[in-house]
Amino acid sequence: MISSQNAAAYFVDRHIAEGRASKIAFCESSDPGRELTYGDFASRTDQVAGAFARLGIHREERALMIVLDQIEFPQIFWGALKAGVVPVPLNTMLVADTYAAILADSRAAILFVSEALWPVVAPVTNTTPDLRQVVVICDGPAPEGTIRYADFISGAEAISTVPASEDEVAFWLYSSGSTGAPKGVRHVHGALQATADTYGAEVLGIREADRVYSAAKLFFAYGLGNAMTFPLSVGATVILFDGRPTPDAVVSILDRQKPTVFCGVPTLYAATLAHMDRSGKPQAPLRRCISAGEALPERIGERWAELWGVDILDGVGSTEMLHIFLSNRLDDTVYGTSGRAVPGYELRLVDETGDDVVPGQLGELLVRGASAADGYWNQRRKSRATFEGEWTRTGDKYELTEDGRYIYCGRTDDMFKVSGIWVSPFEVEQTLVAHPAVLEAAVVAAQDEDALDKPKAFVVLKDSTAPNGLATELQEFVKDKVGNWKYPRWVEFVPDLPKTATGKIQRFKLRDTV
């Protein structure tokens, strides 16, 4: 019986008593010699907790992590939880000004940085008086004014996991989604096991024998669940990759590391399928594939299932809810829908007045469940607008079918009307990517000569050159599939689409160009 409700007691310490000390918990794909057994993981996190105490980093102070997916990441994250320090993993692809803003906002006392990211971070480490220590994960000498990670933990006295309430804030994640400035999302200890007991157990069906590779990175709520929470809940093995998850890298990892669980995002699934069309399918014993970040186009799911014999379980989650709360399931997958509520969560669709809508109508999705965040840091107005009692507003528009499935229709702020009728950008985008020439598409509202909103499409092609007449062909294709008023009046071919690090299309950037 675990007396402490500190999440580290369940996800880290428990495995020693259950006989997994010699089993591999984490291994690095790019360097097979860098790995952590569950026994090493437990002792190393005890040492990290002691290193915090030695430096005078106190309980509830923040520890920012600009750290790649490498074996130091779980050591720092769970070592902080053991010490009562609040780890704050950050997107590793931000610019210096954004890091400076987050450093000031969080008032972090200590910062951990991977060596490869130091050139971006270095200029902002002196911008806040709250930051007392910078630790760089490097093999050679530490940059001036910092200490090496190896020296940070060397000789530190291991300390035991501090007691904590399940309602105590454990860690933060900064979320900007696809539309705004970063916001600190505060999560409690109990939220981690809540996601493991619901999505991890009931939908993913994670097993101790699994080898898990998540292309979504650990700083992302989706990736954190995939590559830490769920595997650690059962004692599985995680494959970490510190590079960019390009299709070539993904195919190589599938072929060499033989994961049984693969966690991707729609953009990556589409690009990987296109890569495999050219280079062939790797050999991997996949038994589960999941997707989140944006709704999965129907064509991509069907093609992946045909190729692998394994469905992609497309789901919906958010940083505010920590992981997926609405999903297709192994025995209940319908591509083109987001599935049904994950066991343990309740969903509602409401109109602009807050009233529930009936099946067949559009509404904003609200969710209730134990993994909901404790609120935003220093953003009371946004907290009150998002967290309404036990319900969390997602900002997503959905339609509920008569048989209880949810169909994604777009972000609330992405929807627009054409001829008085709501248009879902996602519906038009999904139609466009069904065309054999199209790899990706994004649709936004643009004004015609009469200042009326009409759809405009930004299209990425599988081949770089657009043949003559393709724009007209795509317009007719959309008219034929989803209706005359929904077709894009303008089609612009682009080399790529602006996205967040988690794969969400940043339509607001495209709107700024029209």
Side-chain angles (χ1 to χ4, degrees):
M1 183 70 179
I2 299 170
S3 57
S4 174
Q5 294 173 319
N6 187 316
Y10 178 79
F11 288 98
V12 183
D13 299 337
R14 170 176 62 95
H15 297 291
I16 308 308
E18 294 182 0
R20 298 188 189 94
S22 61
K23 185 179 180 184
I24 300 299
F26 297 94
C27 62
E28 291 189 7
S29 174
S30 54
D31 186 350
R34 279 172 55 83
E35 59 186 27
L36 275 180
T37 65
Y38 273 95
D40 291 338
F41 180 40
S43 61
R44 193 66 61 87
T45 49
D46 285 344
Q47 198 172 10
V48 168
F52 280 120
R54 182 173 62 182
L55 281 179
I57 307 298
H58 302 297
R59 188 166 187 160
E60 299 182 6
E61 288 194 292
R62 268 75 68 191
L64 256 58
M65 299 173 58
I66 308 176
V67 178
L68 299 171
D69 281 21
Q70 54 193 107
I71 59 172
E72 287 83 5
F73 189 114
Q75 296 173 38
I76 298 165
F77 183 90
W78 294 99
L81 263 63
K82 285 188 170 187
V85 173
V86 178
V88 186
L90 298 184
N91 183 340
T92 57
M93 292 174 274
L94 299 177
V95 298
D97 286 349
T98 306
Y99 287 133
I102 294 174
L103 274 167
D105 181 65
S106 66
R107 299 198 288 272
I110 187 169
L111 168 66
F112 295 86
V113 187
S114 291
E115 182 176 20
L117 305 174
W118 177 246
V120 177
V121 180
V124 304
T125 55
N126 294 320
T127 58
T128 169
D130 299 295
L131 186 62
R132 306 197 297 274
Q133 185 66 66
V134 178
V135 180
V136 180
I137 303 166
C138 57
D139 293 326
E144 184 178 355
T146 74
I147 60 173
R148 293 194 316 152
Y149 179 75
D151 295 329
F152 166 71
I153 61 172
S154 178
E157 181 181 353
I159 64 172
S160 301
T161 302
V162 300
S165 162
E166 65 179 349
D167 295 330
E168 186 173 333
V169 171
F171 63 99
W172 297 4
L173 296 171
Y174 268 83
S175 169
S176 59
S178 55
T179 59
K183 329 182 263 297
V185 183
R186 298 174 295 140
H187 279 290
V188 300
H189 282 269
L192 289 160
Q193 189 166 346
T195 62
D197 291 344
T198 53
Y199 183 85
E202 299 288 340
V203 177
L204 180 59
I206 189 78
R207 301 172 183 170
E208 183 175 353
D210 278 324
R211 289 174 58 83
V212 181
Y213 169 54
S214 175
K217 298 298 185 180
L218 287 167
F219 64 76
F220 176 28
Y222 175 52
L224 187 145
N226 300 339
M228 285 208 301
T229 310
F230 304 149
L232 296 180
S233 71
V234 295
T237 296
V238 177
I239 301 160
L240 296 175
F241 177 57
D242 62 1
R244 241 182 107 235
T246 61
D248 183 62
V250 168
V251 167
S252 177
I253 291 169
L254 293 177
D255 197 49
R256 291 184 295 105
Q257 296 293 330
K258 310 297 183 188
T260 58
V261 176
F262 174 59
C263 313
V265 296
T267 300
L268 182 60
Y269 277 110
T272 303
L273 280 168
H275 183 278
M276 289 190 291
D277 286 343
R278 299 187 297 270
S279 64
K281 173 177 168 286
Q283 297 300 310
L286 294 179
R287 70 175 195 88
R288 290 285 190 279
C289 295
I290 66 173
S291 180
E294 286 221 305
L296 181 76
E298 184 175 352
R299 179 182 65 90
I300 300 303
E302 290 173 346
R303 286 195 59 216
W304 187 271
E306 289 170 5
L307 187 64
W308 286 95
V310 179
D311 279 313
I312 299 173
L313 305 184
D314 184 31
V316 177
S318 68
T319 306
E320 288 79 3
M321 293 302 297
L322 192 53
H323 210 271
I324 294 171
F325 51 80
L326 166 63
S327 183
N328 285 275
R329 301 181 67 172
L330 187 63
D331 57 351
D332 185 25
T333 294
V334 177
Y335 291 119
T337 80
S338 298
R340 308 178 195 274
V342 170
Y345 293 91
E346 296 177 60
L347 304 176
R348 294 173 60 201
L349 289 183
V350 301
D351 61 20
E352 291 82 355
T353 65
D355 293 327
D356 291 338
V357 303
V358 299
Q361 293 183 338
L362 291 182
E364 182 183 354
L365 183 67
L366 275 62
V367 56
R368 176 164 66 183
S371 64
D374 198 45
Y376 299 123
W377 168 254
N378 280 350
Q379 302 245 14
R380 185 168 181 263
R381 181 175 297 177
K382 288 185 177 180
S383 291
R384 287 162 67 93
T386 300
F387 304 102
E388 299 183 350
E390 294 185 328
W391 293 94
T392 300
R393 286 189 171 271
T394 66
D396 291 321
K397 288 279 192 180
Y398 272 85
E399 175 190 336
L400 179 63
T401 65
E402 293 288 349
D403 65 347
R405 306 191 71 85
Y406 288 80
I407 299 176
Y408 180 70
C409 298
R411 293 288 297 171
T412 300
D413 47 11
D414 289 333
M415 302 285 290
F416 57 94
K417 283 187 175 182
V418 175
S419 301
I421 303 172
W422 282 111
V423 169
S424 161
F426 178 72
E427 181 185 23
V428 183
E429 292 162 4
Q430 189 173 35
T431 304
L432 286 166
V433 299
H435 190 282
V438 176
L439 179 63
E440 294 182 289
V443 172
V444 301
Q447 291 193 334
D448 63 13
E449 63 274 10
D450 297 317
L452 298 173
D453 283 345
K454 298 292 189 296
K456 176 175 181 177
F458 295 83
V459 174
V460 179
L461 298 175
K462 291 180 180 176
D463 295 321
S464 57
T465 304
N468 290 335
L470 181 58
T472 301
E473 182 181 332
L474 292 175
Q475 290 172 323
E476 294 301 318
F477 187 75
V478 174
K479 285 182 185 178
D480 182 60
K481 297 291 185 182
V482 296
N484 285 341
W485 76 94
K486 297 180 182 179
Y487 82 94
R489 290 1 180 227
W490 309 271
V491 177
E492 182 176 335
F493 297 106
V494 294
D496 51 43
L497 299 173
K499 299 186 187 75
T500 68
T502 57
K504 295 179 181 179
I505 296 171
Q506 294 175 308
R507 292 177 184 83
F508 74 94
K509 290 186 176 180
L510 296 174
R511 285 196 292 268
D512 289 344
T513 69
V514 301

